[in-house]
Amino acid sequence: MTKLFEIQRIINILLQGIIIYLLMNNLHNAFRVIKNDIEKLIEKNAIDKIGEKLSFFENILNRNSSNENTKEDYFRILFENSLSGIGLINAEGEIIDCNPELLRMLGSQDLEGFRKQNIKEFYADKTERKKIAEELYKTGIISNKKVQIKTNLNNIIVANVNARLVELNKQACIIINLLDITDQELAAKELEEFHNELEERVNKRTKALIQSEEKFRKLTDIIPAGISILNTSRYFYVNKAWCEITGYSEVESKEISPIDIIHPEMRELVISRATARLNGENTPSRYDIKLVAKDKQEIWVDISFTLIEFDGQNCILAVMADITELLKTQKALKQSQEKYKSIIENLRHEFFFYRYNKKGNIEYVSPSVEIVLGYEPKQYVSHYTYFLTKNLINKLAIEKTE
């Protein structure tokens, strides 16, 4: 009986010791089953069966330990072979650990030397670094931020950054993930440059490509100017910009005559010039005309015309730009200039006004100068200092204005 009690005491100590491991590894059910079975065996004095139960428990522990080791190996393989740079840093920016790809991206040779650096050193833009840090500590996460990174090789790369704020050993840490997208950015830049070059080349070849409707449509739909193909009675084609300027859809353009959108004040002029151009006569190829949009608003356009052959007949290729706001601005500016000119030219006889350019040459003198100084305005064609007497006051004035 003493032996049985000693075995039971040892088993209880063993169970108390392993409960921590079981709870930490989420093996609550296994613990309860084994504990109940062992207690029943002790009650039945079946000492020989207790060893079997302990062996069964040992197998569970070994299997779970093996699984944990396997998971750790999996994560280590993923970490070491990731195509993106992964690192763990503390709240001060000190590098705790990283994978080989992050070392390569940032131009470092070994982890120990890399750990002596601070992640803050690698931001090319300090303002950008500050904004990212503020967002990270505010939201706990950074997603897909495009950042310029200065490497240890003194070159700049562009990286897509993801980061998350975590707690490790009761300390705030940051997991960062950097993907080098420098090549993609360069490719995008080259593509944009190619697009600009292509657009310029296409603009020069528009006339040559006009017979290809599909190519012409693709081309004109990316041009901001209103483009149309027409004769005096109908539209054959309009692009998106033309629709935006006039308010008519492409379908509606087929239902109206080009004359319908010309302002009544200008219809006779436009019709006569269009007819003459279709007949091969020499007429102005570019001028401003007033149109009436679908919403009845009056709009001014700068329009140019080219005679082309379309569907076997003479047609006009028209390119127009909306200049309504520009004309309003010019009108307001002219009114302002006339207002101030009137004020200047009607100054009292004892005053006159003059304006000179950056070189000091006089550009304008008000008429009252003839009354004050006896010179005609047209005589003021030289440097303003020519008309000043040589005294101390004038010398100081010249120094102030130069």
Side-chain angles (χ1 to χ4, degrees):
M1 193 68 181
T2 302
K3 183 178 179 181
L4 181 61
F5 177 79
E6 183 64 18
I7 291 174
Q8 184 177 4
R9 187 181 69 82
I10 293 172
I11 291 174
N12 285 335
I13 293 173
L14 174 63
L15 290 174
Q16 291 174 5
I18 63 176
I19 187 172
I20 298 174
Y21 177 86
L22 291 168
L23 293 176
M24 288 177 63
N25 291 275
N26 202 24
L27 298 176
H28 307 75
N29 293 334
F31 168 72
R32 284 195 293 269
V33 171
I34 294 171
K35 181 176 182 296
N36 291 336
D37 288 350
I38 290 176
E39 287 176 347
K40 290 178 182 178
L41 291 172
I42 291 174
E43 291 175 0
K44 295 178 180 179
N45 199 19
I47 303 300
D48 54 329
K49 299 292 183 179
I50 294 175
E52 295 178 8
K53 285 293 176 183
L54 291 176
S55 296
F56 175 69
F57 171 69
E58 183 180 8
N59 289 334
I60 291 177
L61 295 183
N62 289 336
R63 185 167 65 248
N64 187 65
S65 176
S66 176
N67 289 339
E68 291 299 319
N69 290 335
T70 302
K71 288 180 182 178
E72 184 177 345
D73 291 339
Y74 287 160
F75 285 122
R76 174 56 60 178
I77 291 171
L78 290 172
F79 179 75
E80 297 290 345
N81 296 278
S82 174
L83 297 178
S84 60
I86 303 172
L88 180 65
I89 61 177
N90 62 21
E92 286 72 38
E94 297 170 343
I95 300 164
I96 300 173
D97 197 5
C98 72
N99 69 344
E101 178 60 16
L102 188 61
L103 282 175
R104 185 201 66 78
M105 284 176 58
L106 300 183
S108 297
Q109 298 295 325
D110 63 283
L111 181 58
E112 291 305 317
F114 187 55
R115 282 176 176 167
K116 296 177 182 179
Q117 295 184 269
N118 193 296
I119 199 68
K120 299 176 183 177
E121 301 171 14
F122 295 97
Y123 283 88
D125 188 334
K126 294 181 179 180
T127 303
E128 187 176 46
R129 181 194 72 195
K130 184 178 179 181
K131 288 180 180 179
I132 290 177
E134 289 175 352
E135 181 178 344
L136 178 62
Y137 284 104
K138 182 179 179 180
T139 64
I141 189 170
I142 295 293
S143 298
N144 297 321
K145 288 285 186 182
K146 192 184 296 183
V147 177
Q148 287 190 328
I149 301 294
K150 183 178 181 181
T151 73
N152 286 328
L153 301 177
N154 289 323
N155 62 321
I156 301 293
I157 65 171
V158 182
N160 192 44
V161 178
N162 290 275
R164 184 182 292 273
L165 198 61
V166 298
E167 185 177 320
L168 181 65
N169 297 329
K170 296 183 179 181
Q171 291 184 349
C173 292
I174 303 168
I175 298 175
I176 59 171
N177 183 294
L178 271 64
L179 181 64
D180 188 347
I181 58 171
T182 307
D183 291 341
Q184 293 92 316
E185 289 294 300
L186 290 174
K189 184 178 180 180
E190 290 176 359
L191 182 62
E192 183 180 2
E193 292 175 353
F194 174 75
H195 174 80
N196 293 336
E197 180 185 353
L198 180 62
E199 186 174 0
E200 182 180 353
R201 290 168 56 190
V202 168
N203 287 337
K204 293 178 180 179
R205 298 179 59 190
T206 299
K207 189 174 180 180
L209 296 174
I210 198 68
Q211 293 298 318
S212 173
E213 183 177 353
E214 181 180 356
K215 291 181 180 179
F216 178 69
R217 186 177 294 274
K218 289 181 179 179
L219 169 69
T220 57
D221 278 346
I222 65 171
I223 295 177
I227 298 177
S228 58
I229 300 174
L230 65 148
N231 58 24
T232 54
S233 61
R234 60 166 295 194
Y235 284 103
F236 294 95
Y237 169 78
V238 296
N239 73 342
K240 291 180 180 179
W242 183 95
C243 296
E244 292 173 358
I245 293 171
T246 65
Y248 290 98
S249 68
E250 185 176 357
V251 174
E252 290 171 330
S253 72
K254 302 292 191 296
E255 301 170 354
I256 62 173
S257 165
I259 306 303
D260 293 338
I261 67 170
I262 305 297
H263 194 278
E265 296 175 359
M266 307 196 73
R267 282 180 183 173
E268 185 177 348
L269 171 66
V270 174
I271 291 173
S272 63
R273 288 186 176 180
T275 303
R277 181 168 291 279
L278 289 170
N279 292 331
E281 298 178 24
N282 188 20
T283 61
S285 60
R286 179 177 179 180
Y287 51 93
D288 298 345
I289 63 173
K290 184 160 52 171
L291 305 180
V292 179
K294 183 181 178 181
D295 60 3
K296 306 305 179 184
Q297 293 290 321
E298 295 181 358
I299 54 176
W300 279 92
V301 295
D302 175 359
I303 191 164
S304 59
F305 302 95
T306 303
L307 186 64
I308 64 169
E309 184 178 327
F310 185 81
D311 282 350
Q313 59 183 303
N314 285 342
C315 289
I316 293 173
L317 171 65
V319 180
M320 65 182 184
D322 188 348
I323 59 171
T324 307
E325 293 302 320
L326 175 61
L327 292 181
K328 288 180 180 179
T329 302
Q330 289 177 343
K331 183 179 179 180
L333 180 60
K334 184 177 180 181
Q335 290 174 344
S336 176
Q337 289 175 337
E338 290 176 350
K339 175 183 175 181
Y340 287 106
K341 184 177 180 181
S342 175
I343 293 173
I344 290 170
E345 293 186 350
N346 288 281
L347 287 171
R348 292 171 56 186
H349 291 165
E350 59 266 33
F351 298 99
F352 70 94
F353 171 84
Y354 68 94
R355 181 182 68 242
Y356 57 87
N357 58 26
K358 292 182 178 179
K359 295 181 179 180
N361 296 324
I362 295 175
E363 294 181 334
Y364 172 81
V365 179
S366 63
S368 57
V369 71
E370 188 172 358
I371 298 173
V372 179
L373 298 180
Y375 294 100
E376 293 183 9
K378 63 182 181 181
Q379 292 179 278
Y380 281 83
V381 292
S382 42
H383 198 278
Y384 77 96
T385 56
Y386 175 80
F387 300 95
L388 299 179
T389 58
K390 296 181 179 179
N391 57 51
L392 180 59
I393 294 177
N394 287 342
K395 182 181 179 182
L396 293 174
I398 292 171
E399 292 176 353
K400 292 290 185 180
T401 56
E402 290 185 342

